[in-house]
Amino acid sequence: DPTVVCVIHERWVLDLSEFKEADELIVVTGDDLAERKSKLLEGADAIVALPGGLGTFDEVCDVACQKQLGMNCDKIPVCLLNIDGFFDGFMTQLKRAKKDGLLHQKDLDDIIHAEGSEAACLTWCQTKHEARVKEERETAATEREAAATLEAEAVGKITLMGTLKRSLLLPPICALYTWMFMQTIYIFMYLSGETRNMI
């Protein structure tokens, strides 16, 4: 089940019952809203913005900017609940910025999306989230396969190097041991006076 977490700045807390419907209420401090915006993104699977004032636009623009720059929330879907066309002007401005080359994403939906109903908004977010989870799982599986391949190649190289070393070093080592053995026999023969039979 989804969890509803509300993040509020201490300046607006009256009695901690501001959001009775929330599963969790987080109160932040500070001289500005930076900590609140950071907490809003923490652990989020999606961002849904309801019609609001400058604070809402600040939060939406902050997330959209981070997404465009590939920062910490670049994979989180952002959807505007466009009730009665509230965000039409904003979306028109973003489309103009995209057309003028000021937004660098291939698709505006990679940054921000708008839907006219709660159900459509949640369905869009869920679809994007599921696609992201699937992509992350596939990427992880690919990375595991690549690591296993590299490990197998490294083991193969080590085995090959060991075989090469043995095959290259074995004849000289055998020759050295043979020479040392012969020298030992000559020394014993010399000490025993058997040198007259030596070739």
Side-chain angles (χ1 to χ4, degrees):
D1 286 342
T3 302
V4 177
V5 179
C6 293
V7 182
I8 188 171
H9 194 281
E10 66 180 347
R11 175 183 267 182
W12 293 285
V13 174
L14 298 176
D15 59 5
L16 291 177
S17 64
E18 283 74 15
F19 296 98
K20 294 177 184 173
E21 308 301 320
D23 296 311
E24 182 181 355
L25 177 65
I26 298 173
V27 179
V28 296
T29 60
D31 296 333
D32 57 24
L33 297 173
E35 183 182 353
R36 180 174 183 274
K37 289 190 284 187
S38 176
K39 284 287 185 190
L40 284 169
L41 294 175
E42 212 173 85
D45 293 322
I47 305 291
V48 176
L50 307 177
L54 290 176
T56 299
F57 282 100
D58 173 47
E59 292 159 357
V60 166
C61 287
D62 186 56
V63 171
C65 181
Q66 289 188 57
K67 285 177 68 69
Q68 177 172 296
L69 297 173
M71 295 183 136
N72 64 352
C73 61
D74 69 325
K75 302 286 186 186
I76 298 174
V78 177
C79 192
L80 307 176
L81 183 52
N82 196 19
I83 297 172
D84 295 328
F86 181 85
F87 287 109
D88 285 349
F90 181 65
M91 292 304 291
T92 299
Q93 189 64 47
L94 289 177
K95 288 173 186 171
R96 166 77 188 270
K98 174 70 179 146
K99 180 180 154 218
D100 291 351
L102 300 172
L103 297 180
H104 307 292
Q105 296 287 345
K106 291 178 183 174
D107 188 355
L108 187 56
D109 270 1
D110 289 341
I111 301 172
I112 200 162
H113 180 79
E115 288 287 352
S117 72
E118 295 170 19
C121 191
L122 292 175
T123 299
W124 183 85
C125 287
Q126 185 174 4
T127 301
K128 288 289 186 177
H129 174 68
E130 288 170 357
R132 183 183 100 208
V133 168
K134 181 181 177 188
E135 179 185 335
E136 287 172 355
R137 286 182 182 151
E138 288 171 355
T139 299
T142 301
E143 288 172 355
R144 282 193 303 273
E145 288 173 16
T149 300
L150 286 174
E151 185 178 337
E153 288 175 0
V155 168
K157 286 179 183 175
I158 291 169
T159 304
L160 178 62
M161 290 303 293
T163 303
L164 283 173
K165 284 180 185 176
R166 282 192 298 273
S167 63
L168 292 175
L169 293 177
L170 191 58
I173 291 172
C174 287
L176 177 65
Y177 280 125
T178 302
W179 179 81
M180 289 172 50
F181 178 73
M182 293 305 293
Q183 291 303 314
T184 305
I185 290 175
Y186 289 143
I187 290 171
F188 284 135
M189 289 176 72
Y190 177 77
L191 292 174
S192 67
E194 296 281 332
T195 55
R196 59 184 178 268
N197 295 331
M198 292 174 47
I199 300 175

